[in-house]
Amino acid sequence: MTATIIDGKAFAASVREKVAEHVTRLQEEHGITPGLAVVLVGEDPASQVYVRNKGKQTLEAGMNSYEHKLPVETSEADLLALVEKLNADPAVHGILVQLPLPDHIDEEKVINSITPAKDVDGFHILNVGLLGTGQKSMVPCTPLGCLMMLRDQLGSLSGLNAVVVGRSNIVGKPMAQLLLRDSCTVTIAHSRTKNLADVCRGADILVAAVGRPRMIPGDWVKPGATVIDVGINRIDAPEKGEGKTRLVGDVDFDSAKEVAGAITPVPGGVGPMTIACLLANTVTACCRANNLPEPEGLTA
Ligand SMILES: Nc1nc2c(c(=O)[nH]1)N[C@@H](CN(C=O)c1ccc(C(=O)N[C@@H](CCC(=O)O)C(=O)O)cc1)CN2
């Protein structure tokens, strides 16, 4: 069997198109333009690329983009003061603080200082609790993107065995909550899970989010399973020339695609959906702030 390759780039483009249509409607019918503020502290090269892409795609969707680039030595107090200012700004419907933050800043403190209704990352403790109890919340972008791709691929997820490998607050835990909400039987596995290979082999849906390059080989995959690879790992690629690198996922794509029913590639799978879902969350936050109906097909 050779798996269907799930094209995250194309899927993300279709999500962005829906976002742009909704933005046009908000502007024409209500005179409202959603606004997203993105805060970057420091000069981490990958974060700079992500923030640049977020700003560009926000503008392309017709929304307002507010970028705040702060030096690496910015104090926690100054960052909290900026968040407070953005919380109070009615033109800003979504706030995202790019992670990771420099070591001298307490990430949790900053995330929990964002007004929950503007927390388009869905990382605030209130949104985590709302998601965990099945209530309306902001949903973290990467798991939301994975859920959209799974629903598109499989239709109903009800009754399927889902294994999430990884227990991070950003991906693993919210992913498991979303799958549970769609009536999957969910297992959260991690580095200390006994017989991880056998656990993975029981999965109709296998979500890999451990951050270890090609850790999951094809013989851990159930024939016909849907595999969502969240890992984005940069490894040396001497075959491309000296000092060159390339991106691989947490799944060994070449062997897994021979067994799976469908699989996301890296790059071009989950990654592009993360920013598309950030735009979707910004429109959702804007609609909620204005007591307007939420965009169809853009929420969990
Ligand atoms: N506040 C947040 N910080 C971070 C998040 C997040 O959701 N919120 N996620 C990641 C980084 N991230 C967005 O911020 C992100 C990662 C990857 C991609 C992406 O499109 N990846 C491409 C490959 C890109 C490349 O060539 O390097 C792909 O997988 O095809 C987008 C966004 C950590 N921080």
Side-chain angles (χ1 to χ4, degrees):
M1 179 191 290
T2 301
T4 299
I5 310 299
I6 301 172
D7 186 344
K9 257 182 155 171
F11 203 114
S14 75
V15 171
R16 290 198 304 270
E17 209 170 294
K18 276 192 208 151
V19 168
E21 282 166 15
H22 209 85
V23 170
T24 304
R25 224 171 301 145
L26 281 172
Q27 286 166 337
E28 288 178 354
E29 293 172 17
H30 304 280
I32 299 167
T33 301
L36 172 64
V38 174
V39 181
L40 173 64
V41 185
E43 292 178 0
D44 175 77
S47 293
Q48 285 179 323
V49 173
Y50 299 141
V51 166
R52 191 164 49 244
N53 289 339
K54 285 172 185 181
K56 185 168 169 277
Q57 293 180 27
T58 300
L59 293 173
E60 282 169 0
M63 300 194 278
N64 290 326
S65 166
Y66 308 100
E67 264 182 38
H68 295 267
K69 292 185 179 163
L70 308 179
V72 69
E73 63 273 12
T74 300
S75 69
E76 186 180 281
D78 283 351
L79 179 56
L80 290 170
L82 173 61
V83 171
E84 260 328 296
K85 221 174 94 187
L86 298 171
N87 282 340
D89 186 341
V92 172
H93 302 97
I95 302 170
L96 178 141
V97 177
Q98 187 66 30
L99 302 179
L101 285 168
D103 288 345
H104 65 278
I105 298 178
D106 181 342
E107 246 168 47
E108 281 181 4
K109 199 167 169 186
V110 173
I111 288 166
N112 290 326
S113 73
I114 299 171
T115 294
K118 295 189 179 190
D119 167 37
V120 280
D121 253 335
F123 296 162
H124 189 287
I125 188 70
L126 183 75
N127 282 316
V128 174
L130 290 170
L131 179 64
T133 50
Q135 300 179 68
K136 197 156 90 171
S137 68
M138 296 309 301
V139 176
C141 305
T142 301
L144 176 58
C146 295
L147 184 74
M148 284 181 183
M149 291 194 285
L150 282 167
R151 284 179 178 164
D152 183 66
Q153 190 62 38
L154 296 168
S156 168
L157 309 186
S158 179
L160 296 177
N161 283 328
V163 174
V164 180
V165 188
R167 51 178 160 174
S168 70
N169 291 338
I170 293 181
V171 183
K173 287 177 195 157
M175 186 75 248
Q177 295 290 359
L178 288 171
L179 290 165
L180 193 58
R181 233 170 66 168
D182 268 26
S183 302
C184 290
T185 303
V186 183
T187 304
I188 304 180
H190 47 79
S191 56
R192 303 227 183 137
T193 298
K194 292 210 171 82
N195 301 322
L196 182 57
D198 285 338
V199 172
C200 291
R201 283 186 198 113
D204 302 306
I205 294 170
L206 181 59
V207 180
V210 261
R212 293 207 196 158
R214 294 186 290 206
M215 190 190 104
I216 298 177
D219 67 355
W220 290 18
V221 175
K222 180 178 178 177
T226 302
V227 178
I228 303 290
D229 192 351
V230 182
I232 300 178
N233 309 291
R234 195 163 282 284
I235 60 162
D236 291 337
E239 72 281 3
K240 286 169 68 183
E242 208 190 305
K244 297 281 182 195
T245 61
R246 69 188 180 97
L247 293 179
V248 295
D250 292 345
V251 176
D252 179 46
F253 183 79
D254 289 340
S255 58
K257 78 173 190 320
E258 299 304 324
V259 189
I263 185 167
T264 59
V266 177
V270 172
M273 288 297 286
T274 296
I275 299 183
C277 288
L278 171 66
L279 306 185
N281 277 352
T282 304
V283 173
T284 299
C286 176
C287 291
R288 287 180 186 169
N290 289 283
N291 288 319
L292 294 168
E294 293 180 21
E296 261 172 53
L298 294 177
T299 47

